[in-house]
Amino acid sequence: MSLDVTIRNSSPEDLQDMVILMDQLGYPTTYAEMKERYSHITADSNFATLVAEVRGRVVGLIGLQTSYLYEKNGRHCRIMALIVHDHFRGTGIGRQLILEAEQWAATHGVDSLSLNSGNRPDREAAHKFYQQLGFTAGSTGFSKKPQALQHN
């Protein structure tokens, strides 16, 4: 069965479907939280959110952030989020989102793309998917919450 998939820029009407997708990505999110995040993301011209729509529902999204890097010249794009609804995985929607992101990047003067994907057993299929699309594994990432400065 061939799916009629439309890749387009996201809109506020997509928020409820985006909440479902974030939950499936492993980041439980309320509608209010997604609405707040989305308001910040859409207000920043360095961000773009593309969605995959099937039969009027958003079943995938890719979030992009452009920036400049310290270690090399040119404009860079980081894929901040990529998720396809679990009922639509394996249908080519993830590939379509990546290819559309590459087109978007090319039209916005971007020289390179990168993404982070957790080093967990449930992400092994995702890692193989990224490698099939030409991404190479890179450095290990670290994160923490900032602590207030302590006075002696």
Side-chain angles (χ1 to χ4, degrees):
M1 175 177 105
S2 176
L3 288 175
D4 185 15
V5 180
T6 302
I7 309 291
R8 60 171 174 77
N9 288 310
S10 66
S11 72
E13 290 75 31
D14 302 325
L15 288 175
Q16 190 58 55
D17 289 334
M18 292 168 72
V19 167
I20 293 166
L21 292 171
M22 292 308 297
D23 285 348
Q24 290 187 3
L25 190 56
Y27 302 103
T29 302
T30 66
Y31 182 86
E33 289 170 331
M34 194 72 239
K35 185 175 179 182
E36 179 182 348
R37 294 173 197 166
Y38 190 74
S39 70
H40 295 295
I41 288 168
T42 57
D44 188 330
S45 63
N46 292 312
F47 284 82
T49 307
L50 305 176
V51 295
E53 183 180 326
V54 174
R55 295 185 294 265
R57 295 298 302 264
V58 170
V59 299
L61 76 80
I62 189 164
L64 310 170
Q65 179 190 26
T66 58
S67 65
Y68 294 92
L69 301 174
Y70 288 94
E71 67 272 19
K72 60 183 174 181
N73 293 339
R75 196 159 180 230
H76 179 72
C77 179
R78 181 165 176 229
I79 297 172
M80 303 295 288
L82 173 62
I83 182 69
V84 174
H85 192 287
D86 57 13
H87 293 140
F88 292 88
R89 292 186 191 148
T91 63
I93 291 174
R95 181 178 303 276
Q96 286 178 264
L97 285 165
I98 292 278
L99 294 174
E100 191 66 30
E102 289 178 2
Q103 288 295 318
W104 180 91
T107 62
H108 287 83
V110 170
D111 299 311
S112 60
L113 284 158
S114 69
L115 59 89
N116 285 16
S117 182
N119 191 18
R120 303 183 330 224
D122 64 331
R123 299 277 171 96
E124 287 179 14
H127 297 171
K128 289 178 184 173
F129 169 73
Y130 298 134
Q131 290 172 336
Q132 289 171 352
L133 290 173
F135 287 87
T136 56
S139 63
T140 300
F142 297 89
S143 66
K144 74 176 271 191
K145 293 183 179 181
Q147 296 179 352
L149 294 175
Q150 296 180 3
H151 298 286
N152 293 337

